[in-house]
Amino acid sequence: MQTLLTSGALKQESLCQTVKKQKITLWEFFQSLGKTFMLPVALLSFCGIMLGIGSSLSSKDVITLLPVIGHPAFQLLFTWMSKVGSFAFSFLPVMFAIAIPLGMARENKGVAAFSGFVGFAVLNLATNFYLTTRGVLPTTDAMVLKTHNIQNILGIQSIDTGILGAVIVGIIVYLLHERFNTIRLPDALAFFGGTRFVPIVTTVVLGLVGLLIPLIWPFFAAGITGLGNLINGAGIFGPMIFGSGERLLLPFGLHHILVALIRFTEAGGTMDVCGNSVSGALTIFQAQLSCPTTSGFSESATRFLSQGKMPAFLGGLPGAALAMYHCAKPENRHKIKGLLISGVVACVIGGTTEPIEFLFLFVAPFLYLIHAILTGLGFTVMALLGVTIGNTDGNIIDFVVFGILHGTATKWYWVPVVAAIWFVAYYMIFRFAIQHFNIKTPGRESETTASRNAEKAASGAVIGKSGYNSPAILAALGGADNIVSLDNCITRLRMSVKDMNLVDKEALKANRAIGVIQLNDHNLQVVIGPQVQSVKDELDSLIGNEQFTTS
């Protein structure tokens, strides 16, 4: 028994050493950082829908059109939805400050998240202290508050550093957590060691950083404003640069950085809404949505939001999927029909495009480049037509909730027209390219003996709750012993492995992986689709069980 325990301990120690040796690169750092944005953004999207439904169905125009919803019971419900939906936008920075260390920490994630909140609060308290000692605070003078960009943050009068300030807090807390969460202190101070030391050192470090904020923040603000001026200076091509840039960065997992910059900082514009200065395209839209005195939405903000995605998401990619289906070998069409339909549903209803995009990204990168350009062009066309549909996803839900329900002032009627044009354009471009260049899109591949055997094995396997054969996926990744770290984003498994040669890409694809992206000798991503979280949970369980059995 002692031998088994010792063996297990040595294996665990070896695994820990492997993790420590494989230092995270700058590329991986930004990928991991971008992934953490998805937790608050997912809540943001849901809250936006609640706010959109509540605000639209309580408006006078809709009540006049549908008098039945003017009943006090309905109006109480819609007002409640608006109030609850506004939560995410009121506390967005603190959510980012918590989500970043939570998502990036490798262990003791709860401590990292708690320290994120501590760091954000302490930063603002220290900034308040500095401004108070300088005689700027306390004050209610609107001119002074505006000059110094002072807002009430968690009940603290402090400089509003917005999302960028929260990201800085999150990164600092993550670095402190990774450095000190296993620290050992002398026996007299042992109570404060380990994970307890993380919020303590966070308090000290962020307390000092908070004193520097009033001195350095004007330079950060000027840089972001300059970026915003650069994008806005591009005129009508600004939305196209943003839309195409987001698609081009998506395969590398870095698009979240660009999106967050436009949605939540001065780079996406600044506007006074209901007496408050609001920055960021999405923040401006949501502020106008919840402001009772605002009529209509700002075109300068919505041109970077959902409306720009709709031509490609609601029309273009379904057209590409139909082209891939028609170009498949007749005997293979029944095999890929479910894959394409599920991809279209994920795109149109959920706004998740990777299940379709990754079907042609690797076999025809030039088609993906055309897709990125057409997506950006969709942003520009929607802006030129004066459409004002906001939110984040560009799916049918956004079209109905933030377009149709808010009346013809949003010019939602242009969306089906442009989407139909994009459908035809994508279909013709993809069908011509696939046939002319003999591109091996799904259903056109030449089957090898290995791929046939892998597919046959996958078809007879036991499927878990995720709908995927997780044991086979784990085996294709080289087994539990080959996995150093495992995480996921919206559609992809992100992992670090000991030996890349043990990864069987054909077997992964035979088990319904949409694509496999090898970043370097130890890091790769496996594109699964919307059910990636369930697959990741099943893999975690399998890895844990296997390590327990071997130890």
Side-chain angles (χ1 to χ4, degrees):
M1 182 68 179
Q2 182 65 34
T3 303
L4 287 173
L5 291 173
T6 303
S7 175
L10 289 173
K11 286 185 178 181
Q12 188 68 28
E13 183 179 354
S14 175
L15 180 62
C16 291
Q17 288 175 349
T18 304
V19 172
K20 289 180 180 178
K21 287 179 181 178
Q22 293 182 10
K23 292 183 179 180
I24 187 170
T25 65
L26 188 62
W27 179 276
E28 293 166 334
F29 172 81
F30 280 111
Q31 281 195 322
S32 181
L33 177 64
K35 179 206 67 176
T36 65
F37 292 173
M38 288 300 96
L39 184 60
V41 167
L43 176 61
L44 199 66
S45 179
F46 174 75
C47 286
I49 292 172
M50 288 192 68
L51 181 59
I53 294 174
S55 63
S56 61
L57 295 183
S58 59
S59 67
K60 293 180 180 179
D61 293 338
V62 176
I63 294 173
T64 302
L65 185 64
L66 301 170
V68 66
I69 67 173
H71 190 280
F74 285 117
Q75 289 305 303
L76 282 174
L77 172 63
F78 300 144
T79 302
W80 171 81
M81 292 179 69
S82 296
K83 290 291 184 182
V84 172
S86 65
F87 156 77
F89 308 99
S90 301
F91 298 97
L92 190 59
V94 70
M95 289 198 302
F96 272 87
I98 294 172
I100 290 171
L102 171 66
M104 296 186 72
R106 299 180 183 179
E107 55 186 1
N108 297 315
K109 288 178 175 287
V111 175
F114 173 72
S115 300
F117 174 79
V118 171
F120 185 78
V122 168
L123 177 88
N124 286 287
L125 284 169
T127 300
N128 175 277
F129 168 80
Y130 179 92
L131 295 173
T132 301
T133 58
R134 292 295 304 270
V136 176
L137 295 177
T139 183
T140 57
D141 189 325
M143 185 61 69
V144 174
L145 295 176
K146 186 173 183 178
T147 301
H148 294 276
N149 192 26
I150 296 172
Q151 302 281 348
N152 269 314
I153 302 168
L154 297 179
I156 307 165
Q157 276 193 315
S158 178
I159 294 175
D160 183 14
T161 57
I163 298 300
L164 183 57
V167 169
I168 293 173
V169 169
I171 292 173
I172 292 174
V173 171
Y174 156 70
L175 295 173
L176 292 174
H177 177 272
E178 292 298 289
R179 173 65 178 83
F180 294 111
N181 81 96
T182 57
I183 191 172
R184 180 179 177 181
L185 298 178
D187 291 345
L189 301 173
F191 175 78
F192 301 104
T195 55
R196 297 188 186 96
F197 190 73
V198 178
I200 294 173
V201 70
T202 295
T203 301
V204 175
V205 172
L206 270 300
L208 295 174
V209 173
L211 297 177
L212 298 176
I213 287 295
L215 303 176
I216 64 175
W217 191 253
F219 300 101
F220 279 94
I224 299 172
T225 301
L227 178 61
N229 292 335
L230 182 65
I231 294 174
N232 291 320
I236 203 63
F237 293 104
M240 183 172 183
I241 294 170
F242 169 73
S244 296
E246 180 193 7
R247 289 298 99 186
L248 292 173
L249 289 172
L250 183 142
F252 309 105
L254 300 176
H255 58 298
H256 303 309
I257 307 294
L258 174 63
V259 168
L261 204 61
I262 296 297
R263 286 178 181 172
F264 306 120
T265 73
E266 289 85 348
T270 300
M271 184 176 294
D272 286 331
V273 182
C274 272
N276 296 316
S277 179
V278 183
S279 298
L282 182 61
T283 313
I284 291 171
F285 172 74
Q286 298 296 351
Q288 291 181 326
L289 191 64
S290 58
C291 180
T293 61
T294 299
S295 59
F297 304 116
S298 167
E299 292 184 21
S300 64
T302 57
R303 64 183 183 146
F304 295 115
L305 300 177
S306 279
Q307 63 184 43
K309 298 178 178 180
M310 290 177 183
F313 287 21
L314 302 184
L317 288 174
L322 183 62
M324 286 187 276
Y325 176 78
H326 284 161
C327 292
K329 297 176 181 179
E331 65 271 19
N332 290 335
R333 287 177 182 172
H334 71 281
K335 297 179 182 179
I336 66 168
K337 183 188 294 183
L339 176 66
L340 292 172
I341 290 176
S342 63
V344 170
V345 169
C347 178
V348 173
I349 297 179
T352 303
T353 57
E354 286 97 323
I356 294 180
E357 290 169 329
F358 279 82
L359 295 178
F360 60 87
L361 168 61
F362 301 107
V363 294
F366 76 92
L367 270 182
Y368 190 84
L369 177 61
I370 293 173
H371 162 57
I373 294 172
L374 288 175
T375 301
L377 186 60
F379 274 81
T380 290
V381 170
M382 290 290 101
L384 284 171
L385 293 172
V387 180
T388 55
I389 302 175
N391 212 40
T392 61
D393 298 321
N395 54 23
I396 196 71
I397 298 174
D398 283 357
F399 171 63
V400 173
V401 173
F402 301 101
I404 295 176
L405 290 183
H406 284 273
T408 56
T410 62
K411 297 186 179 180
W412 58 265
Y413 45 81
W414 281 115
V415 173
V417 176
V418 179
I421 296 172
W422 255 241
F423 180 91
V424 173
Y426 269 71
Y427 178 82
M428 293 177 65
I429 292 171
F430 272 70
R431 182 157 187 167
F432 171 79
I434 291 170
Q435 292 179 336
H436 184 73
F437 298 105
N438 193 26
I439 299 171
K440 302 301 182 182
T441 48
R444 292 176 60 83
E445 312 95 330
S446 299
E447 287 190 318
T448 63
T449 302
S451 64
R452 283 196 299 269
N453 291 338
E455 186 175 342
K456 183 177 179 181
S459 63
V462 178
I463 305 300
K465 290 182 179 180
S466 65
Y468 287 77
N469 183 2
S470 297
I473 292 175
L474 181 60
L477 292 171
D481 288 340
N482 197 40
I483 306 295
V484 176
S485 64
L486 176 65
D487 210 334
N488 69 279
C489 61
I490 292 181
T491 58
R492 293 176 246 182
L493 295 170
R494 299 171 182 249
M495 68 197 73
S496 177
V497 297
K498 294 178 183 177
D499 186 354
M500 191 65 71
N501 294 322
L502 297 179
V503 177
D504 188 340
K505 295 181 181 179
E506 289 298 326
L508 287 170
K509 292 178 181 178
N511 284 280
R512 298 170 56 205
I514 299 170
V516 181
I517 308 169
Q518 182 177 335
L519 301 175
N520 53 39
D521 291 341
H522 292 284
N523 293 279
L524 78 155
Q525 299 176 357
V526 180
V527 186
I528 297 294
Q531 296 298 332
V532 66
Q533 182 66 57
S534 298
V535 175
K536 189 259 184 182
D537 291 340
E538 290 177 358
L539 291 176
D540 277 337
S541 178
L542 290 169
I543 292 171
N545 290 337
E546 190 167 326
Q547 287 178 346
F548 177 78
T549 302
T550 56
S551 63

